[in-house]
């Protein structure tokens, strides 16, 4: 970072010089670290949309250009040419692995996929109709009760062990949550399969039948994992960092991230998108809902179109659309009304001047929801799969933060507008 430039700020006749940092990519950053100490004022930024909360080398988003980079590599190249565990290595360690490094890394992950057998009892403590995200929050947080040898955040070796364990065990936890909600027996991991295939098998295999994972479905699932692996300082990642800044154990931090991701404005977007398609119901009702979306006085919004960060197009959507087309062709889903509604909405969004002008293109949630539905996942599993994909990003961000010598516990300030000082009045005199 360059620190040669400064900005001048005048407050009540007092002039301050604030350093300006220049990143390798993206806008310059005004350093207000000492503003409170020097001028006794805070900044006000609801949602922290104009605030850099940390320094990071992991992920970069250029929303105006529709660009997403993992460690400098464009997401479309990684999704097309790489695979999820290789991307995990890249996010965790900063570089693409050599062939030997990748084999060793994949072996370490594969050898940690099993859960401690006593953890199976945890699932039975939930109601059968519990949302899988509720189960994910509880079970991931409980990992710290079973793996005491990897909770010391000051120990680099323990941090590494915890990282590998979570990447390896999250698919097993998600699959068990799915099986539990459907009343089917758990299917143990098969270490002969790749990461995506193993997850699909744990979700859909039953003891009485042989289950063979179709490579097209495994590829689509792997892409979903890759495209959701990290996304800079979003709400759930910031939650993980804030929890981690207190020195909380890594399992608790990731559980906090899962809880944040559960919100419909964050990880629940693809679930909300599919629910919207089902609400529309049939193609002939689309004009009604499009008109409502254009009406500023109507609270209805088309889910799965546009993105808060990407002001042009979502770079993940192009790759996801390709997988959606492959999966739908493989499964021969032609007469599904929800799919017909999705395809017609997609056509309108790409052609209608209103959507084109406002750049409301189909985003990654639009296509990933269609894929997961076609595979046979209920909407309640969409966000757990998102959490499973994002775990490596959370871990990479957490490790980066823990290793930062400038680490301080997070402590946002506030603009207080409540009552001023007042004295207590006895209850009988009120």
């Amino acid at each position: 970072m360059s620190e040669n430039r400064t900005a001048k700020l005048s407050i009540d006749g007092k002039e301050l010089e604030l350093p300006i940092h220049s990143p390798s990519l993206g806008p310059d950053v005004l350093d207000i670290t000492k503003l409170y100490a020097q001028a006794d004022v805070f900044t006000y930024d609801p949602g922290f949309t104009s605030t850099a909360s940390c320094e990071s080398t992991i992920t970069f988003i250029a929303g105006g250009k529709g660009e997403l980079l993992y460690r400098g590599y464009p997401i479309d190249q990684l999704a097309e040419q790489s695979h999820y565990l290789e991307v995990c290595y890249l996010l965790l360690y900063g570089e693409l692995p050599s062939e030997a490094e990748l084999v060793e890394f994949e072996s370490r992950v594969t050898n940690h996929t099993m859960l401690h057998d006593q953890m199976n009892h945890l699932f039975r403590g939930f109601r059968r109709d519990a949302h899988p995200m509720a189960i994910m929050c509880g079970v991931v947080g409980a990992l710290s009760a079973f793996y005491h040898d990897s909770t010391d955040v000051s120990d680099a070796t323990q941090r590494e062990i915890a990282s590998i364990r979570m990447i390896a065990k999250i698919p097993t936890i998600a699959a068990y949550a799915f099986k539990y909600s459907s009343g089917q027996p758990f299917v143990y991991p098969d270490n002969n399969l790749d990461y995506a295939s193993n997850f699909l098998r744990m979700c859909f295999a039953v003891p009485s039948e042989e289950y063979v994972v179709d490579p097209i479905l495994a590829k689509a699932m792997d892409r979903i994992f890759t495209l959701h692996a990290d996304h800079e300082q979003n709400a759930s990642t910031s939650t993980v960092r804030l929890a981690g800044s207190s020195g909380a154990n890594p399992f608790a931090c990731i559980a906090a991230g899962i809880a944040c991701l559960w919100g419909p404005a964050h990880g629940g977007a693809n679930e909300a998108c599919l629910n919207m398609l089902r609400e529309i119901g049939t193609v002939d009702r689309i004009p009604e809902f499009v008109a409502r979306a254009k009406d500023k006085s109507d609270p209805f919004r088309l889910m799965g179109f546009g993105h808060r960060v990407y002001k042009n197009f979502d770079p993940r959507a192009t790759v996801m659309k390709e997988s959606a087309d492959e999966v739908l062709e493989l499964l021969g889903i032609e007469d599904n009304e929800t799919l017909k509604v999705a395809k017609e909405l997609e056509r309108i969004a790409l052609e209608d001047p209103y959507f084109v002008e406002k750049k409301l293109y189909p985003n990654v949630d639009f296509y990933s929801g269609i894929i997961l539905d076609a595979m046979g996942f209920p909407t309640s599993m969409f966000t757990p799969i998102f959490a499973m994909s994002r775990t490596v990003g959370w871990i990479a961000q957490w490790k980066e933060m823990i290793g930062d010598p400038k680490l301080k516990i997070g402590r946002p300030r506030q603009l207080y507008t409540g009552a001023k000082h007042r004295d207590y009045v006895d209850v009988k005199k009120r």
Side-chain angles (χ1 to χ4, degrees), residues 34-48:
K34 299 180 180 179
L35 181 62
Y36 175 49
Q38 293 177 343
D40 196 32
V41 296
F42 299 146
T43 57
Y44 183 58
D45 182 21
F48 309 112

Side-chain angles (χ1 to χ4, degrees), residues 72-92:
Y73 293 96
I75 189 61
D76 55 331
Q77 292 183 20
L78 293 172
E80 290 282 359
Q81 302 175 49
S82 185
H83 64 277
Y84 183 65
L85 283 185
E86 184 176 43
V87 169
C88 287
Y89 187 100
L90 172 66
L91 291 173
L92 289 173

Side-chain angles (χ1 to χ4, degrees), residues 3-288:
E3 298 186 11
N4 296 326
R5 295 184 298 146
T6 60
K8 291 185 178 180
L9 177 64
S10 179
I11 302 177
D12 297 331
K14 183 178 182 180
E15 195 168 86
L16 305 175
E17 285 199 1
L18 303 175
I20 298 176
H21 302 311
S22 296
S24 54
L25 290 171
D28 289 343
V29 177
L30 187 63
D31 188 341
I32 59 168
T33 305
K34 299 180 180 179
L35 181 62
Y36 175 49
Q38 293 177 343
D40 196 32
V41 296
F42 299 146
T43 57
Y44 183 58
D45 182 21
F48 309 112
T49 55
S50 297
T51 299
S53 60
C54 64
E55 180 182 340
S56 182
T57 62
I58 299 171
T59 301
F60 175 75
I61 298 172
K65 296 191 296 183
E67 184 177 58
L68 171 61
L69 307 177
Y70 289 172
R71 301 287 192 178
Y73 293 96
I75 189 61
D76 55 331
Q77 292 183 20
L78 293 172
E80 290 282 359
Q81 302 175 49
S82 185
H83 64 277
Y84 183 65
L85 283 185
E86 184 176 43
V87 169
C88 287
Y89 187 100
L90 172 66
L91 291 173
L92 289 173
Y93 306 115
E95 300 292 342
L96 288 170
S98 67
E99 187 174 5
E101 288 171 334
L102 182 58
V103 169
E104 191 271 339
F105 177 73
E106 290 179 334
S107 176
R108 279 196 291 152
V109 171
T110 300
N111 289 330
H112 282 88
T113 54
M114 290 287 292
L115 295 180
H116 193 293
D117 194 60
Q118 291 179 10
M119 295 194 74
N120 291 350
H121 300 296
L122 290 176
F123 291 87
R124 299 186 180 94
F126 291 92
R127 279 177 49 138
R128 182 179 176 275
D129 58 354
H131 196 289
M133 281 296 280
I135 298 175
M136 291 274 286
C137 287
V139 176
V140 171
L143 287 171
S144 59
F146 288 84
Y147 300 103
H148 304 291
D149 61 341
S150 52
T151 57
D152 183 355
V153 299
S154 66
D155 186 329
T157 300
Q158 291 198 34
R159 294 200 299 269
E160 178 68 12
I161 294 172
S163 302
I164 297 299
R165 278 178 170 158
M166 279 188 282
I167 294 170
K169 296 180 191 302
I170 283 285
T172 309
I173 294 172
Y176 281 17
F178 176 50
K179 284 295 194 182
Y180 184 75
S181 64
S182 62
Q184 294 185 2
F186 296 155
V187 176
Y188 284 179
D190 183 347
N191 290 348
N192 294 313
L193 297 176
D194 63 77
Y195 196 85
S197 297
N198 190 28
F199 174 67
L200 288 172
R201 179 183 172 277
M202 286 191 291
C203 286
F204 295 114
V206 292
S208 59
E209 300 175 11
E210 182 180 0
Y211 181 81
V212 179
V213 182
D214 189 286
I216 291 178
L217 299 184
K219 176 184 176 184
M221 183 58 71
D222 190 89
R223 277 185 171 176
I224 288 176
F225 295 161
T226 296
L227 294 172
H228 290 89
D230 196 49
H231 212 234
E232 210 218 62
Q233 304 308 316
N234 53 78
S236 57
T237 299
S238 298
T239 298
V240 171
R241 278 183 173 265
L242 190 59
S245 73
S246 73
N249 74 75
F251 306 110
C253 295
I254 301 306
I258 293 172
C260 181
L261 189 72
W262 196 354
H266 190 7
N270 53 6
E271 180 177 350
C273 176
L274 195 66
N275 288 335
M276 176 203 69
L277 295 175
R278 289 171 175 164
E279 179 187 358
I280 295 173
T282 56
V283 172
D284 60 290
R285 297 190 65 200
I286 290 179
E288 169 195 343

